[in-house]
Amino acid sequence: MITCDHCPRHCRIEEGRRGFCHVRENRNGRIVCTAFGHTTGLSIDPIEKKPLFHFKPGSKTLSLGTIGCNLNCSFCQNWTLSRNTRDEVMNVRAAPDAIAALAREKECESIAFTYNEPTIWSEYAIEIAKEAKRLGISSVAVTNGFICGEARSNFYSILDGVNVDLKGFSETFYSKYCSGSLAPVLDTIEWIAKETNVWLELTNLIIPRANDSRDEISRMCEWLVEHLGPEVPLHFSAFFPKYQLTDRPPTPWETLKIAFQTAHKAGLRYVYVGNSRAPGYESTWCPDCAQMLIGRDGYQIFENVLQDWKCPYCGTKVPGR
Ligand code: SF4
């Protein structure tokens, strides 16, 4: 029996068995990442789809994922991968150098570790990111932030950008809906912002009757301003009934609008609404002179007037890479 210290779950794993995430296995007394070299498939996405709105806007990213997750969110929007325990679903064998070469061939400016939780297969992601870096290609991740210790340092030392899902803002929510806890996620978010050079954006999926109270959203936004500053981009995302949470409707537009206003009131300067047809709410506006800087329709950019990440009308510096 050995302990995996990769994430705050600290699974005790018997010989030949796997941890909670179903990816990390005790093989001869060592933890092995069983997903290494295997993916469920690769696709080319706009970087806006991750979502990353302040990182190489308008560029293409080569996305890949595996199976498994170290949380179990009852509302998971990608549960066919995250809850899958069949290794044969990862039926594409892809060596790290081959993935980097494919990204270059397809003119992708980055590779995205996404679809399921990438920190549980971080050894694979790190090797891909190293190969990508050799070719001048960036690496980004979409993650739940539920990682700790050395694994966290190693993973973020090679990344260029990240979108962390901040799923709610109470321990009760994380315990009831995610089988996890909030404190380690907040610790990771603050650590990324203060201790790394990785570009950071956040996503909050708003679920009716779960994490949609004005008070919870307000406390979350105030925490973000206090601990990360007002410039961190925040994406509110609409929930659709999936996996085990099918007893409620999609997030009403009114709720998303209230969240957007609440975030601005708390002082956040770059707030977006996604996964919902929300013209204007997906665009980047200058927080000082209110001009449109990057116009988006869904994931497509129809206008980008930024000049070296500055507003051309009033000169305000806009954060981004
Ligand atoms: S990474 Fe997986 S095996 Fe390791 S502690 Fe987390 S859930 Fe358990």
Side-chain angles (χ1 to χ4, degrees):
M1 182 92 84
I2 54 174
T3 304
C4 174
D5 289 320
H6 212 72
C7 88
R9 221 168 259 293
H10 299 292
C11 295
R12 300 273 297 152
I13 311 173
E14 286 175 28
E15 174 63 36
R17 306 293 294 254
R18 297 186 185 182
F20 181 93
C21 60
H22 189 73
V23 162
R24 308 185 71 76
E25 181 175 305
N26 177 353
R27 223 177 261 173
N28 303 319
R30 280 186 58 237
I31 298 286
V32 171
C33 171
T34 58
F36 197 104
H38 304 268
T39 164
T40 52
L42 295 132
S43 64
I44 297 171
D45 295 320
I47 191 82
E48 283 73 20
K49 197 173 177 182
K50 298 304 103 191
L52 284 168
F53 279 12
H54 293 237
F55 186 89
K56 297 180 184 274
S59 66
K60 292 188 292 184
T61 188
L62 182 66
S63 301
L64 74 146
T66 68
I67 59 170
C69 190
N70 55 349
L71 294 180
N72 182 12
C73 302
S74 56
F75 51 86
C76 183
Q77 306 282 295
N78 236 354
W79 67 275
T80 52
L81 294 179
S82 69
R83 301 321 315 158
N84 212 311
T85 54
R86 291 170 50 236
D87 286 352
E88 51 277 23
V89 175
M90 297 185 289
N91 55 10
V92 178
R93 287 183 74 91
D97 60 340
I99 293 173
L102 184 64
R104 181 165 68 177
E105 183 193 321
K106 299 295 181 187
E107 299 178 338
C108 295
E109 290 185 33
S110 61
I111 294 172
F113 310 123
T114 177
Y115 302 138
N116 74 318
E117 177 50 43
T119 55
I120 60 174
W121 43 279
S122 63
E123 292 90 341
Y124 185 29
I126 287 168
E127 289 308 309
I128 296 168
K130 282 183 189 165
E131 295 293 341
K133 201 171 275 282
R134 279 191 201 115
L135 302 181
I137 296 165
S138 303
S139 294
V140 302
V142 180
T143 175
N144 58 28
F146 202 61
I147 185 172
C148 60
E150 203 181 337
R152 185 170 77 174
S153 312
N154 292 342
F155 186 57
Y156 284 94
S157 69
I158 189 78
L159 281 187
D160 299 288
V162 67
N163 187 307
V164 180
D165 266 328
L166 180 53
K167 295 169 188 289
F169 204 69
S170 73
E171 288 295 350
T172 308
F173 174 85
Y174 264 84
S175 165
K176 181 174 175 188
Y177 291 95
C178 308
S179 304
S181 57
L182 171 64
V185 177
L186 294 182
D187 184 68
T188 292
I189 289 171
E190 193 168 5
W191 176 84
I192 295 169
K194 293 181 175 165
E195 306 291 334
T196 78
N197 195 31
V198 178
W199 177 251
L200 170 67
E201 301 191 21
L202 299 160
T203 295
N204 177 233
L205 182 83
I206 302 184
I207 305 167
R209 306 200 312 271
N211 62 358
D212 62 341
S213 79
R214 198 187 289 241
D215 174 62
E216 182 165 336
I217 292 169
S218 180
R219 282 188 294 105
M220 176 181 75
C221 295
E222 282 162 12
W223 186 92
L224 295 177
V225 171
E226 186 187 337
H227 292 260
L228 313 182
E231 306 250 290
V232 64
L234 173 63
H235 303 257
F236 289 114
S237 186
F239 155 89
F240 288 89
K242 283 200 178 158
Y243 187 38
Q244 296 165 333
L245 212 60
T246 54
D247 64 343
R248 59 200 78 197
T251 317
W253 168 241
E254 193 56 28
T255 306
L256 295 165
K257 206 164 103 186
I258 289 171
F260 180 88
Q261 290 162 348
T262 304
H264 272 291
K265 198 170 158 209
L268 289 169
R269 284 159 72 86
Y270 302 97
V271 185
Y272 303 100
V273 176
N275 216 12
S276 164
R277 295 302 297 164
Y281 290 81
E282 300 154 320
S283 296
T284 301
W285 301 84
C286 177
D288 291 330
C289 72
Q291 293 285 338
M292 181 185 283
L293 301 176
I294 305 178
R296 298 184 189 85
D297 181 8
Y299 304 130
Q300 300 305 317
I301 288 182
F302 59 82
E303 185 176 25
N304 183 352
V305 300
L306 279 172
Q307 292 171 355
D308 198 18
W309 288 103
K310 277 196 188 127
C311 170
Y313 307 107
C314 71
T316 290
K317 183 101 182 75
V318 175
R321 300 271 170 87

